Amino acid sequence: MDWKPFWKIVEEAYRPDPIDHFEALKERLDGLKWFEVIEFQARFDEMVAAANHIDLWGAAYLINGGCSDDGFRDFRVWLVGRGRHAYEAALRAPDTLADILDGDPVDGFGLDAAALRVYEAKTGMSDFYERLDREEKDAPPPPPEGADWDFEDETEMKKRFPKLCHLYLVPADEKDEIVEGD
């Protein structure tokens, strides 16, 4: 599958609600032939892998209030699901994510399984991953690209992601007000 149809499917499927997003992506993929569904997944996986950068992980950590290895993969799935413009902008400068976020955490909600579900429904077969030829499916993910840094360092976070920090870092005095106001 070429990149243009890949991104068109992704962008047409986007919905703010994660469940609606998943269902809309399945609907778009349902219009493809079974082998195109596999090609779509291969492209999707390429984009998730290409976003394996330490600064994106730092942004995910800030946005979601922490971020494990699996959580970072889910974050990258979410990022691909937001479409080409948001994806490419975030790869260049993760702080641009503040332009599309509202202060809530994000989750890919299994978008990377939409193609699998559509393939199984179309073919009745369970050989999706074999056809995808995903050798690395059981291998641990490679370490992210970039120099490691401390995601717990608030000063460093503010330096790297000033706009995201404005959305996601609540000053201590405001946290006290939130707790007292509940």
Side-chain angles (χ1 to χ4, degrees):
M1 174 174 285
D2 291 331
W3 289 111
K4 190 172 182 176
F6 169 80
W7 284 118
K8 184 176 184 198
I9 291 167
V10 168
E11 290 164 0
E12 287 178 351
Y14 176 72
R15 304 288 183 279
D17 178 78
I19 295 169
D20 292 343
H21 190 183
F22 179 78
E23 293 302 324
L25 183 55
K26 282 181 21 185
E27 286 176 27
R28 296 297 181 287
L29 294 173
D30 196 42
L32 302 177
K33 296 177 179 142
W34 69 266
F35 60 88
E36 293 171 319
V37 174
I38 291 171
E39 291 170 357
F40 175 88
Q41 185 66 47
R43 290 293 188 199
F44 199 98
D45 290 347
E46 282 181 61
M47 293 296 88
V48 170
N52 192 15
H53 295 274
I54 195 74
D55 280 347
L56 270 177
W57 198 339
Y61 188 92
L62 175 61
I63 291 165
N64 287 331
C67 191
S68 66
D69 292 354
D70 289 341
F72 183 46
R73 184 173 193 326
D74 289 344
F75 176 84
R76 290 179 288 150
V77 166
W78 168 84
L79 182 58
V80 173
R82 283 307 306 256
R84 184 178 180 178
H85 177 73
Y87 175 88
E88 290 177 352
L91 259 59
R92 285 189 303 274
D95 203 34
T96 61
L97 291 168
D99 299 335
I100 62 169
L101 294 171
D102 60 5
D104 289 334
V106 300
D107 183 356
F109 192 74
L111 284 177
D112 56 337
L116 168 65
R117 301 291 177 249
V118 170
Y119 175 83
E120 289 175 341
K122 280 183 168 297
T123 66
M125 304 291 287
S126 60
D127 62 347
F128 182 76
Y129 292 111
E130 289 81 14
R131 289 191 177 272
L132 188 58
D133 195 28
R134 188 190 279 181
E135 292 177 16
E136 75 282 356
K137 67 182 171 197
D138 295 325
E145 294 180 25
D148 198 14
W149 55 278
D150 182 6
F151 298 160
E152 295 287 330
D153 183 341
E154 192 171 310
T155 303
E156 188 65 23
M157 278 287 186
K158 288 179 179 177
K159 181 177 121 189
R160 290 174 187 262
F161 315 122
K163 295 188 314 184
L164 285 171
C165 284
H166 180 73
L167 283 173
Y168 290 94
L169 281 183
V170 179
D173 58 337
E174 287 183 34
K175 285 181 186 175
D176 293 339
E177 290 176 20
I178 292 169
V179 171
E180 291 172 10
D182 286 341

